[in-house]
Amino acid sequence: MRLDHPDPFEGAWRANWIWHGRPALAMETATRPVLADPTDHVVLFRREFELGHVPEAAPARIWVDGRYVLQVNGTEVARGPVRSEPRSAHYDVIDLAPHLTPGTNVLAITARHFGQSTSWWIPVPPTYSLGAGSLVFEAQIGDEWIVSDRTWRSTPGAAWSAVPVPGDVACLPIESFDARVHAWGWESAGFDDSEWKKSFEITPMHTGADGRKSPPSSPFGMLRPPVRVSFPGGAEHRADQVGGARVLGADHVDDPVAQVLADQDSESAASGNVEMRHFDLGRIAAGLVSMHVTGAEPGTIIDLAASEHVDASARLVTLGQHAGLRYVCRGGDETFQSFDVIGTRFLHASIRCDSVSDGIGLEVSVIDQHRPRPAGASFECSDPLLNEIHAIGLRTVDLCALDAYVDCPTREQRAWTGDSVVHQMVDLVSNPDWSMPVWHPQLATHARPDGMLAMAAASDFSADDRMYIPDWALHWIHSLFNLYMYTGERGLVAEYLPVAERVLRWFESFLGPDDLLHDVTGWPLTDWASVYMNGCSSTTNALWARGLDEFAEMSDWIGNAANADWARDRHADVASAFEVFWDDGRGVYIDHLVNGERRPEAAQHPGALAIVAGLVPAGRINRVVDGITDRSKLIRHSFVMDRLTVEGDGQGFVYLMNGYPEQPPWDALGQMVEGEPFFQYVVHDALAKAGRADLVADHCRNWSVFIDAGETTWPECWSGGTRCHGWSSTPTRDLVVHVLGITPAEPGYAKVRVNPALGDLEWARATVPTPHGFITVEASADGTVTIDSPVPVVRGR
């Protein structure tokens, strides 16, 4: 797709690539450069300039191979860039004018190159000069251009020490900052940078290079236009100190999180060398951790560890989370703010100093760093419980919308390819800013050579590509279908349909002579519920069929009849063959076949998916609905996650390596495993497609189990997992889309469909964003419907 760079910028930059000193690269072979020091590095860059007057606008753009913070005259104005595959990275655009002043001005950039893959950053395979840290910046200020070049001064961020990334489920960078050696005041005018060096201009060097110092350059290719219209931010949440103790303390280690966890295990002692303080935010928050310290001697060490959970004795229980920081005090009244986002509820601090620490003041807070949600969209109904459920879903998705949709802001912060479909659908009906629901499906399009998508985009999991989740790529196709229906952007959909086609054709190699998929490799995850998927899985076959059906519709829309015909033919084959999964005696679709044998397990998933994929004969739909909604038979069970609790042993992951037991611990003939909160979006879609959207409002009340447990965000599963997972927020969409029945009747909301199904509600009303403006619908139980719409309205199904 042709790129549309914002004025006054073009694809070619005026600026040069810069870093502090020559990039640290070594030659593994004569043609294979590698990072000489693949560790976490921070560099400070500054540039002073004079202004006679401040222009009305001063557009600037910036990109860093890693992460950056841009300050103008001591005020932070941007933080980024968004995560991306480094060969299709997006720069940020900022208007500097509101922050400039007549006289001396200072641009200050803190740039961080992580060296090793994290949950949200991956290194690029380096060339002979790029890939070991680089920055590019340019701004038009009046008639002049300020660009990154040798006129910028730079110095290593001496205050930061590299801490090895854990490299596990939690793979977040850890910060260690020594305030005694920081260049305080460097971001302001008048700072003496005479001992700093001139920045090193990097000349891109690679086979075929032409000596040009400005982007576009290999290995990054063309730097792409911004994908967001504003920067993350939000409220500040202050933590209460709720406890603490003096302990002997464990041996000193470099990792501050490991230090706190070891300290809390050490023996309590009134004369101990370490004071522990326990802080509670009261609910999950995600953002920059801020500490205000008073009365500390220089060299006092404050280690901070974060967690969603504590046990009955107030000890942190991480359940896989590994997040925190170290701050070494310079003495006096001081404030520190973390470089990266930390999501948590509980924060425990270990304080080490040469004297008694009782006189040290420590305040801790978290400053939101999620994408904005402008005002305008709303939902309200006659049931206060559903209003609360809707609001909690909004907050959960907000916390999981950082620079991309993440699974959780606490444990991982990864952009999982399948999870994000729920976040996207919530934003499409409740956030007037559609930049992230449009951007995230594009982020997730980076495919393996065989066509399968990475299970978590732009992360360590995509960098080493050791495992993949086939079903997640099929949920991604549904997110592309959402772009088609909601935005109607034909060029965007056309660009990514080939990716969807490669995903769908990837599955074809697993087709058996019966026209069903067998023994699909990879991680068979549809959600964390105990759904049997080995052998010939009804769930995977139905998800594939839904993808084929949606792909056919989109292909027709862009004029590709041949692809549409192929997909419909495949869909018809699956629909015919799918009958093997039907158990007429029980009125359910079974989970799977093993070596041709029909197994008795029958979860909620295959029935719901069969309806949305158009695989259920019309005369059977009511029986399937009855089967998947029979509360007397539905049970909640997860071999993996039920044990991932504060009280559990956390050993459920053994089932990921060895599969589920051949005989389930429930009555396979008489009971049905219910989908986890994530999969309920499919269940609710199935009810609506079956003409039973009137059931959805009451189904959304199932989330009250979390409210009763005191949760203020939606947990990952009915039992176990993290306490803030965006994928669990489908009621926030479904109360609008299914209960009030507000959906695009044609792509891009050329027409809107309104088909309320209030169930037992007396009334409901909502305002939803569209490309044409807001649409407001109010419906009452007596059948009265009031609609305010800028586009034509279609009533009914």
Side-chain angles (χ1 to χ4, degrees), residues 66-115:
R67 285 279 169 99
Y68 74 85
V69 177
L70 169 64
Q71 297 177 78
V72 178
N73 296 323
T75 299
E76 180 181 322
V77 299
R79 184 179 289 260
V82 297
R83 73 187 71 196
S84 60
E85 206 284 339
R87 284 166 287 203
S88 55
H90 293 260
Y91 58 81
D92 285 321
V93 170
I94 313 101
D95 182 9
L96 303 183
H99 312 284
L100 298 174
T101 185
T104 303
N105 290 265
V106 180
L107 300 173
I109 300 172
T110 305
R112 188 175 181 185
H113 185 270
F114 298 97

Side-chain angles (χ1 to χ4, degrees), residues 49-364:
F49 61 96
E50 300 293 325
L51 274 182
H53 70 281
V54 177
E56 290 186 6
R61 62 175 171 175
I62 180 174
W63 187 77
V64 168
D65 182 14
R67 285 279 169 99
Y68 74 85
V69 177
L70 169 64
Q71 297 177 78
V72 178
N73 296 323
T75 299
E76 180 181 322
V77 299
R79 184 179 289 260
V82 297
R83 73 187 71 196
S84 60
E85 206 284 339
R87 284 166 287 203
S88 55
H90 293 260
Y91 58 81
D92 285 321
V93 170
I94 313 101
D95 182 9
L96 303 183
H99 312 284
L100 298 174
T101 185
T104 303
N105 290 265
V106 180
L107 300 173
I109 300 172
T110 305
R112 188 175 181 185
H113 185 270
F114 298 97
Q116 298 180 9
S117 299
T118 74
S119 292
W120 37 252
W121 180 84
I122 52 177
V124 70
T127 62
Y128 300 129
S129 59
L130 283 171
S134 54
L135 175 154
V136 63
F137 172 93
E138 61 186 21
Q140 184 181 34
I141 302 179
D143 295 330
E144 302 296 325
W145 282 86
I146 293 180
V147 302
S148 50
D149 56 19
R150 294 183 73 249
T151 64
W152 288 63
R153 311 290 289 184
S154 66
T155 189
W160 284 270
S161 297
V163 179
V165 174
D168 205 334
V169 174
C171 197
L172 303 175
I174 303 295
E175 191 169 4
S176 180
F177 183 89
D178 189 340
R180 297 172 299 177
V181 296
H182 185 52
W184 295 101
W186 71 283
E187 69 275 19
S188 302
F191 177 81
D192 182 6
D193 61 9
S194 59
E195 294 187 3
W196 291 27
K197 291 184 177 181
K198 293 181 178 180
S199 294
F200 181 83
E201 289 186 2
I202 304 172
T203 300
M205 298 185 65
H206 55 86
T207 303
D210 59 6
R212 188 177 69 250
K213 293 185 178 181
S214 304
S217 310
S218 291
F220 304 112
M222 177 64 70
L223 296 178
R224 300 174 178 227
V227 293
R228 55 184 176 181
V229 296
S230 55
F231 289 91
E236 182 172 2
H237 308 273
R238 297 194 178 277
D240 294 326
Q241 184 175 341
V242 294
R246 186 165 288 279
V247 297
L248 291 178
D251 291 340
H252 180 79
V253 295
D254 291 335
D255 185 326
V257 179
Q259 186 72 70
V260 173
L261 296 178
D263 286 343
Q264 75 174 4
D265 288 337
S266 67
E267 184 178 347
S268 297
S271 60
N273 297 322
V274 175
E275 182 191 357
M276 300 204 70
R277 298 187 189 179
H278 301 167
F279 295 89
D280 183 359
L281 289 159
R283 60 179 185 169
I284 303 292
L288 306 179
V289 173
S290 177
M291 295 194 303
H292 181 213
V293 185
T294 57
E297 294 182 354
T300 297
I301 299 173
I302 302 176
D303 289 319
L304 209 62
S307 179
E308 298 175 300
H309 308 272
V310 293
D311 63 17
S313 60
R315 294 155 53 86
L316 292 181
V317 181
T318 60
L319 297 184
Q321 185 175 359
H322 195 99
L325 57 87
R326 170 168 291 160
Y327 180 73
V328 183
C329 301
R330 60 173 170 156
D333 189 321
E334 48 198 309
T335 299
F336 173 75
Q337 193 176 92
S338 66
F339 188 87
D340 293 311
V341 169
I342 293 176
T344 189
R345 173 177 171 176
F346 302 100
L347 290 152
H348 285 193
S350 292
I351 304 175
R352 282 174 164 77
C353 59
D354 293 334
S355 60
V356 176
S357 61
D358 295 346
I360 295 176
L362 176 60
E363 298 175 356
V364 180

Side-chain angles (χ1 to χ4, degrees), residues 469-598:
I469 305 176
D471 288 15
W472 258 211
L474 298 172
H475 286 289
W476 172 83
I477 290 176
H478 191 60
S479 72
L480 182 62
F481 188 79
N482 292 332
L483 290 185
Y484 150 68
M485 288 303 301
Y486 280 83
T487 72
E489 293 188 20
R490 199 177 297 268
L492 179 66
V493 173
E495 180 177 3
Y496 294 110
L497 268 181
V499 180
E501 180 184 358
R502 291 198 69 204
V503 167
L504 293 168
R505 290 188 183 274
W506 180 91
F507 285 89
E508 281 191 306
S509 63
F510 298 95
L511 283 172
D514 57 358
D515 290 323
L516 293 173
L517 304 171
H518 291 257
D519 302 314
V520 176
T521 57
W523 178 5
L525 177 70
T526 192
D527 66 358
W528 285 118
S530 299
V531 185
Y532 280 78
M533 298 177 65
N534 56 304
C536 182
S537 164
S538 56
T539 296
T540 300
N541 275 281
L543 263 178
W544 189 53
R546 184 186 70 173
L548 290 165
D549 186 49
E550 293 177 340
F551 177 79
E553 182 175 336
M554 291 186 284
S555 295
D556 269 338
W557 183 62
I558 67 167
N560 192 333
N563 273 2
D565 289 346
W566 163 79
R568 288 199 175 97
D569 287 344
R570 280 285 182 241
H571 184 275
D573 292 341
V574 176
S576 177
F578 202 79
E579 283 296 292
V580 72
F581 297 112
W582 176 246
D583 185 328
D584 193 61
R586 292 190 289 161
V588 298
Y589 285 97
I590 61 173
D591 284 359
H592 64 154
L593 312 175
V594 178
N595 297 322
E597 177 188 351
R598 290 161 52 93

